[in-house]
């Protein structure tokens, strides 16, 4: 079996599991730790090392990061410590773990997994995957090919950065009902639809398992909208797929 360890670093949690990359599924139950605060690279490396240790892992590892990643270097850090900006995360994580590490944006990883094994399978044209969590992540595909680091969560909408208005944690912090939150998401999807004309939106992140609570309130979007099929494991699976791709 071709297995890679997938680790998904988020603003709130860090989770990982070994993944069978041919089948696109976790082969052991995932382990989740809280993201250290402050989320400095050193503190996060320590958690990542701990996770690899708990799985007694000594093969290649794929790691997601909640910011722009270009050639292994983390370029932005909206929801983690600024120490990540300009860091050669691939190189440093490879040294910290003593194994080859691939680093990829978290939403791009979730998108890669959903396009291969989940809700985006065999879908052509423009597909937008959005993850709603601590921030909003985006992954854009055209005929199955990823356009990396799109960062649509930072688009400005009605005078707000979209992720400050419609991320999942905004619903919790402002105590919005699912319906109120759904209207914010709908406004955002309509904006993206105007700009990119996707045929499919895939909604990922922790909210994907509650799709029945908010999707019924979204009816003014032309494109099909579906929850991520791999739920919140898409990032872990995508991280492993990125590692397998080298
Ligand atoms: C970051 C993105 C990330 C998203 C979800 C945003 O704040 O800029 O890179 O994909 O949060 O974690």
């Amino acid at each position: 079996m071709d297995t890679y360890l997938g680790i998904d670093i988020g603003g709130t949690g860090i989770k990982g599991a070994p993944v069978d990359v041919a089948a696109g599924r976790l082969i052991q139950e995932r382990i989740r730790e809280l993201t250290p605060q402050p989320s400095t690279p050193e503190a996060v490396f320590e958690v990542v090392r701990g996770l690899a240790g708990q799985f007694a892992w000594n093969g290649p590892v794929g790691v997601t990061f909640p910011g722009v990643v270009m050639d292994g270097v983390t370029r932005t850090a909206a929801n983690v410590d600024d120490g990540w900006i300009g860091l050669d995360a691939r190189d440093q994580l490879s040294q910290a773990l003593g194994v080859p590490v691939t680093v990829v944006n978290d939403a791009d990883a979730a998108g890669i997994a959903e396009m291969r094994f989940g809700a985006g399978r065999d879908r052509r044209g423009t597909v937008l995957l959005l993850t709603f969590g601590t921030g909003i992540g985006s992954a854009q595909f055209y005929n199955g090919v990823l356009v990396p680091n799109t960062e649509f969560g930072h688009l400005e909408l009605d005078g707000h950065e979209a992720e400050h208005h419609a991320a999942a944690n905004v619903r919790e912090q402002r105590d919005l009902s699912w319906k109120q939150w759904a209207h914010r998401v709908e406004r955002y999807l309509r904006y993206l639809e105007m700009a990119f004309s996707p045929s499919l939106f895939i909604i990922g992140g922790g909210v994907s398992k509650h799709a029945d609570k908010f999707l019924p309130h979204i009816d003014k979007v032309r494109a099909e909208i579906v929850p991520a099929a791999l739920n919140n494991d898409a990032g872990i699976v995508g991280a492993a797929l990125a590692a397998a791709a080298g």
Side-chain angles (χ1 to χ4, degrees):
M1 196 194 304
D2 217 4
T3 55
Y4 291 79
L5 181 62
I7 295 185
D8 192 12
I9 300 177
T12 312
I14 301 178
K15 38 194 194 285
V19 176
D20 172 353
V21 291
R25 51 178 189 81
L26 312 192
I27 53 167
Q28 267 173 270
E29 189 144 341
R30 72 180 196 181
I31 299 178
R32 182 177 191 275
E33 307 281 0
L34 286 177
T35 305
Q37 300 301 338
S39 49
T40 57
E42 299 69 34
V44 170
F45 291 171
E46 212 36 58
V47 174
V48 171
R49 211 191 345 236
L51 281 177
Q54 290 189 64
F55 290 110
W57 196 259
N58 55 18
V61 178
V63 175
T64 78
F65 176 73
V68 171
V69 183
M70 292 169 71
D71 201 21
V73 176
T74 47
R75 294 279 177 204
T76 65
N79 293 309
V80 285
D81 187 80
D82 281 354
W84 288 89
I85 298 173
L87 186 84
D88 192 335
R90 177 176 59 201
D91 186 57
Q92 299 224 359
L93 275 163
S94 302
Q95 286 187 29
L97 299 182
V99 294
V101 173
T102 304
V103 186
V104 62
N105 171 263
D106 56 354
D108 285 347
I112 293 166
E114 286 292 325
M115 294 304 283
R116 180 92 55 92
F117 298 109
R121 213 169 155 162
D122 300 327
R123 295 294 296 244
R124 297 184 62 77
T126 298
V127 175
L128 282 183
L129 171 128
L130 301 166
T131 60
F132 291 83
T134 313
I136 297 179
S138 61
Q140 181 175 23
F141 294 84
Y142 182 67
N143 288 348
V145 178
L146 173 70
V147 182
N149 293 311
T150 44
E151 296 291 318
F152 294 151
H154 298 294
L155 288 177
E156 191 181 308
L157 180 63
D158 298 336
H160 300 275
E161 213 174 301
E163 78 171 19
H164 295 160
H165 191 57
N169 70 334
V170 173
R171 188 187 67 78
E172 288 161 19
Q173 283 162 6
R174 307 256 167 93
D175 211 14
L176 301 176
S177 67
W178 283 103
K179 187 174 176 185
Q180 286 169 318
W181 182 71
H183 287 149
R184 293 182 175 208
V185 174
E186 178 170 64
R187 174 89 183 88
Y188 177 52
L189 297 185
R190 282 168 59 102
Y191 185 69
L192 291 172
E193 179 156 73
M194 181 269 297
F196 302 107
S197 298
S199 49
L200 176 68
F201 282 109
I202 303 175
I203 307 296
V207 294
S208 52
K209 55 181 181 296
H210 301 294
D212 56 321
K213 300 198 176 97
F214 64 94
L215 283 187
H217 300 297
I218 299 180
D219 55 12
K220 296 188 189 69
V221 176
R222 185 172 14 94
E224 190 183 346
I225 310 171
V226 296
L230 304 172
N231 287 137
N232 217 4
D233 288 338
I236 298 175
V237 173
L241 288 175

